Amino acid sequence: MTQMTEVAVTSAKRTRRQHHWRRDLVELAALFTAVAVADAIANAIAHGPDGPYLLVVSAVVLVATAAFHTWWARRHSHAPPSPTPPETAPGDGHPAAPGQHSVHGDPAAHGDPAAPGGPGTETVLWRMRTTVRDEPGSLAALCGALARLRVDILTLQTHPLSDGTVDEFLLRAPATVQAAALTRQTAAAGGTHTWIERADAHDLVDTPTRVLGMATRTALDAAELPLALRQLLGRCTIRSVPAVSPTGRRSDRTAPVEGALEEGDTVMLLHDPYGGVLTVERPYLPFTPSEFARARALVELDARLGPRVPRSQDVLTLPEGNEITVRRAGQDDIAAARAMHDRCSDRTLGLRYHGPVADADRYLNHLLSPRFGRTLAVETASGRLVGLGHLLWDGDETEVALLVEDAWQRRGIGSELLRRLVGLALDAGCDSVYAVTQASNTGMVAAMRALRLPLDYQIEEGTLVITARLETLRAERREAAESSGHPAPLPHPAPGTGRAGQGTPHHP
């Protein structure tokens, strides 16, 4: 700063020394000439017959000239600058760097709807993951390559590895840009092991907000852990393997307390706080150390909070006037459920469990665990348990199952439980639910038909599998929300289910 000041002072001194005496003479001569002209004009006006008129005319001419000058200056003060060539950086006349676009020469920057990426251009969302070298400039080269396709980077997450960095992008691209073009451009910029799929509205939520939402839901309800893991890790299959099966057989599947990654990092093993192992499989995309750490932290949160079930309940009145209470059930209700088993007939238990009636009590610990799904219980006004409805995560599918005590059947309790279970499945993002029963179980068949949803029937060796598709119900809920002026809530995907509009992985 001191050096710049000294240079400025020296330059000013040199400029003052360059003033010459001839300039002073010229200025003095101009002054004498102006005085002489003014004196001649004054004499002509003062001694002439039309002197006052000449003064008035001169004043009018001066005012008109000033007004015209002001109007001209205002009219041309906002004239647009001369256009700059598209690939020239504004102001310097040199070509712009790769991936850099001139603001003046870019039609999209001026809002031209016909330009690629302009406001009038249809766009789509993509999720892309690629591995780049861990060196300066590698990410900049990739961003520049995407910019040349008019692709907008909405979010970016980095996953450091030992031999590089995995960059995960949420992109908004023109609809004319296909996945193959994005993959080729990424490969040309140095990206390897590129994976890309269509994104949806879930991905527009920023990562901190999404993680906080998952932690909140998990803290309120232990059954939310598989759903939260699914939302955290994307399209994957989550299975909960109990330490001891319902029949009393110990599982061979174990996991260390700190968890582990297997099979090329495509299988994640997490220690289940309820005992057993949580397995997360994503064959198409290996898990990164960052994803593994996030999933383990979510499981640790669940373990610290312990067993918990939301205590909300609804009181309903049956057609004959009796009141019942519908609430969430958990493992604290095992004793009441066993007592209900004792009051049920062998035929009712056989239709529900499809096996020996003596083994019915063994399934309760599994069915009432929040790790395997959600359970609704029905109680009478006296507090006696008379019905159970289960929504069970079964890998990539979701099962519904009902059990109503004999004395309370044919009163609409099963239909009410099934309707609520389908609503829970819809909120969880499931595309369908299925029920396993027998053709002779007319009550279950009637309850499924009462849903008024598209049904698929499969019969194998006397076992009837009824699958209800939920697309119609989801569309009706969306239309109802739009007509009321409130946006429909975004469901969090259920374990093992995919997102609408997803594509397949692409590799360069």
Side-chain angles (χ1 to χ4, degrees), residues 35-255:
V35 171
V37 173
D39 181 69
I41 295 175
N43 289 332
I45 293 175
H47 299 288
D50 300 326
Y53 297 103
L54 290 176
L55 287 175
V56 173
V57 172
S58 300
V60 172
V61 171
L62 290 175
V63 171
T65 303
F68 176 78
H69 182 271
T70 303
W71 170 80
W72 184 268
R74 289 183 178 178
R75 179 180 178 183
H76 296 277
S77 61
H78 300 289
S82 58
T84 307
E87 293 300 326
T88 302
D92 59 2
H94 296 288
Q100 177 183 357
H101 300 283
S102 169
V103 174
H104 298 293
D106 188 356
H110 288 289
D112 184 0
T121 304
E122 183 182 357
T123 59
V124 294
L125 297 177
W126 295 96
R127 287 180 61 220
M128 186 180 74
R129 180 178 290 196
T130 188
T131 303
V132 299
R133 297 183 302 274
D134 190 9
E135 60 184 34
S138 58
L139 179 58
L142 180 57
C143 294
L146 295 175
R148 283 191 287 274
L149 292 178
R150 303 295 192 196
V151 175
D152 185 17
I153 300 175
L154 301 180
T155 63
L156 168 63
Q157 295 185 60
T158 59
H159 303 264
L161 301 177
S162 59
D163 55 348
T165 301
V166 176
D167 292 331
E168 185 172 354
F169 299 90
L170 177 61
L171 306 174
R172 179 186 286 121
T176 55
V177 178
Q178 301 299 321
L182 289 172
T183 304
R184 287 194 300 269
Q185 194 80 344
T186 301
T192 59
H193 303 93
T194 301
W195 166 85
I196 186 171
E197 71 174 0
R198 287 286 293 274
D200 61 13
H202 297 90
D203 300 293
L204 292 175
V205 182
D206 60 283
T207 302
T209 302
R210 187 167 67 250
V211 172
L212 288 173
M214 290 184 291
T216 300
R217 294 198 308 271
T218 303
L220 295 175
D221 187 357
E224 288 283 342
L225 179 61
L227 304 178
L229 288 173
R230 168 63 180 84
Q231 188 178 5
L232 176 68
L233 302 173
R235 182 161 46 94
C236 58
T237 300
I238 300 177
R239 292 185 174 88
S240 184
V241 182
V244 180
S245 68
T247 58
R249 181 169 174 250
R250 297 195 63 84
S251 174
D252 298 333
R253 193 76 164 180
T254 59

Side-chain angles (χ1 to χ4, degrees), residues 373-404:
R374 296 170 176 171
T375 300
L376 296 178
V378 177
E379 290 181 339
T380 63
S382 62
R384 190 175 71 177
L385 191 68
V386 296
L388 289 174
H390 305 283
L391 183 70
L392 303 172
W393 316 132
D394 183 18
D396 294 341
E397 300 176 324
T398 306
E399 181 184 0
V400 290
L402 302 175
L403 176 63
V404 179

Side-chain angles (χ1 to χ4, degrees), residues 216-418:
T216 300
R217 294 198 308 271
T218 303
L220 295 175
D221 187 357
E224 288 283 342
L225 179 61
L227 304 178
L229 288 173
R230 168 63 180 84
Q231 188 178 5
L232 176 68
L233 302 173
R235 182 161 46 94
C236 58
T237 300
I238 300 177
R239 292 185 174 88
S240 184
V241 182
V244 180
S245 68
T247 58
R249 181 169 174 250
R250 297 195 63 84
S251 174
D252 298 333
R253 193 76 164 180
T254 59
V257 177
E258 65 277 7
L261 290 173
E262 294 183 348
E263 301 181 19
D265 296 341
T266 59
V267 177
M268 184 186 301
L269 301 180
L270 300 170
H271 181 70
D272 191 344
Y274 286 83
V277 180
L278 285 171
T279 65
V280 187
E281 300 177 5
R282 195 172 65 185
Y284 66 93
L285 187 64
F287 295 109
T288 64
S290 299
E291 290 178 313
F292 176 64
R294 294 169 186 172
R296 190 173 60 182
L298 201 58
V299 174
E300 290 177 357
L301 172 65
D302 179 78
R304 288 181 177 274
L305 295 175
R308 59 208 176 277
V309 175
R311 292 304 175 186
S312 60
Q313 60 184 25
D314 294 327
V315 179
L316 307 175
T317 302
L318 297 177
E320 66 270 16
N322 295 325
E323 289 188 349
I324 59 172
T325 300
V326 182
R327 61 171 177 83
R328 286 284 300 277
Q331 291 183 315
D332 294 339
D333 298 295
I334 290 180
R338 287 175 177 169
M340 184 183 71
H341 278 180
D342 294 337
R343 297 191 298 269
C344 291
S345 64
D346 290 347
R347 181 179 182 278
T348 296
L349 294 177
L351 290 175
R352 166 61 187 90
Y353 294 107
H354 318 291
V357 175
D359 296 336
D361 290 348
R362 297 182 181 180
Y363 296 102
L364 290 176
N365 190 59
H366 173 89
L367 293 173
L368 295 176
S369 171
R371 187 63 67 244
F372 302 101
R374 296 170 176 171
T375 300
L376 296 178
V378 177
E379 290 181 339
T380 63
S382 62
R384 190 175 71 177
L385 191 68
V386 296
L388 289 174
H390 305 283
L391 183 70
L392 303 172
W393 316 132
D394 183 18
D396 294 341
E397 300 176 324
T398 306
E399 181 184 0
V400 290
L402 302 175
L403 176 63
V404 179
E405 186 179 326
D406 294 63
W408 290 84
Q409 294 178 5
R410 309 294 178 181
R411 301 188 185 188
I413 294 178
S415 297
E416 179 65 23
L417 283 175
L418 184 59

